[in-house]
Amino acid sequence: MRLNETLAELSDDHEFLGEWLYFITIMGKPSATDPWGWQLDGHHAIINYFVLGDQVVMTPHFFGSEPVKATSGKYKGVEILQQEQNEGLEMLRGLPEAARRKAVLNFSKTGNNNLTEAFKDNVVLDYAGVRAADLEGPARKRLTDLMHLYLSNMPEGHAAREDERGAAAHRQHLVRVDWGGAGGQRVFITACRVRSF
């Protein structure tokens, strides 16, 4: 959100960009027993939560930024997602050739891989990437380390809970995870999707 303020400063567009141009939507009625959810939605950040009793699940989400580092302005020095980007790229480079070919996501002949950008609501995406079940031990561990890196961005208590859940999911369901990446040397996007159970 702070880097979206930087983008507003750089483009001199405070009508469509800015730190506080994000919206919260409540879906259903918050309840201790009935399902409900909420969404935070804005430029380069979409977060969806589903809640049922004491279960809270973060459903498909997107984290991104343009730029990824503020070199000027109100938030000069703020930088995000560089370790995630770099480790995702290194994971990709470390895969055997056959797995790497599956993991490289290239959806468009024109080079624009924005499949779910603004005004493309309700897009249904096919599973893409390399399946965790097809990865050998070291690559599979690197995938779980990468997933942990993303989880470590959460506050400590939440991250510990998600790590606990992630360890259980790793044992039972990691085989259903598809992982891949798109981009080049300067911008690398990593994507992880869990097949339904």
Side-chain angles (χ1 to χ4, degrees):
M1 291 170 71
R2 289 177 175 172
L3 288 171
N4 202 42
E5 180 67 24
T6 300
L7 184 57
E9 292 168 350
L10 291 172
S11 64
D12 195 27
D13 182 353
H14 292 271
E15 184 177 352
F16 294 104
L17 301 168
E19 181 178 6
W20 299 110
L21 283 174
Y22 291 83
F23 305 90
I24 293 184
T25 303
I26 305 295
M27 295 163 282
K29 182 178 180 183
S31 166
T33 56
D34 295 328
W36 66 283
W38 60 267
Q39 177 186 68
L40 173 74
D41 183 35
H43 191 239
H44 289 164
I46 302 169
I47 303 170
N48 301 283
Y49 269 85
F50 170 78
V51 183
L52 178 58
D54 66 351
Q55 299 177 58
V56 179
V57 178
M58 186 180 211
T59 61
H61 59 278
F62 173 77
F63 300 118
S65 184
E66 176 190 17
V68 294
K69 181 176 183 179
T71 57
S72 62
K74 180 178 180 181
Y75 292 114
K76 183 178 180 178
V78 170
E79 182 176 29
I80 64 163
L81 299 173
Q82 294 306 285
Q83 185 178 0
E84 293 83 351
Q85 170 185 271
N86 296 340
E87 290 194 21
L89 182 57
E90 287 306 311
M91 179 178 166
L92 182 69
R93 288 177 174 157
L95 290 174
E97 181 62 30
R100 188 170 40 250
R101 279 196 307 271
K102 289 180 182 177
V104 172
L105 306 178
N106 189 6
F107 304 110
S108 168
K109 293 179 182 176
T110 64
N112 179 351
N113 287 322
N114 295 334
L115 298 180
T116 58
E117 60 194 352
F119 311 111
K120 291 186 178 179
D121 297 339
N122 302 315
V123 172
V124 177
L125 299 175
D126 291 332
Y127 290 103
V130 64
R131 295 194 67 187
D134 297 337
L135 297 175
E136 300 286 329
R140 193 180 289 194
K141 175 161 184 348
R142 197 160 195 174
L143 174 59
T144 57
D145 289 347
L146 186 59
M147 293 165 70
H148 172 76
L149 176 60
Y150 277 91
L151 290 174
S152 70
N153 290 318
M154 299 171 73
E156 191 173 317
H158 295 289
R161 173 71 175 127
E162 289 302 315
D163 263 351
E164 180 184 312
R165 288 176 56 189
H170 174 69
R171 288 189 298 273
Q172 294 180 329
H173 306 298
L174 186 64
V175 295
R176 294 189 167 110
V177 170
D178 293 291
W179 179 84
Q185 298 295 325
R186 297 192 61 203
V187 177
F188 181 75
I189 301 164
T190 184
C192 186
R193 184 170 177 192
V194 179
R195 292 174 182 265
S196 56
F197 299 117

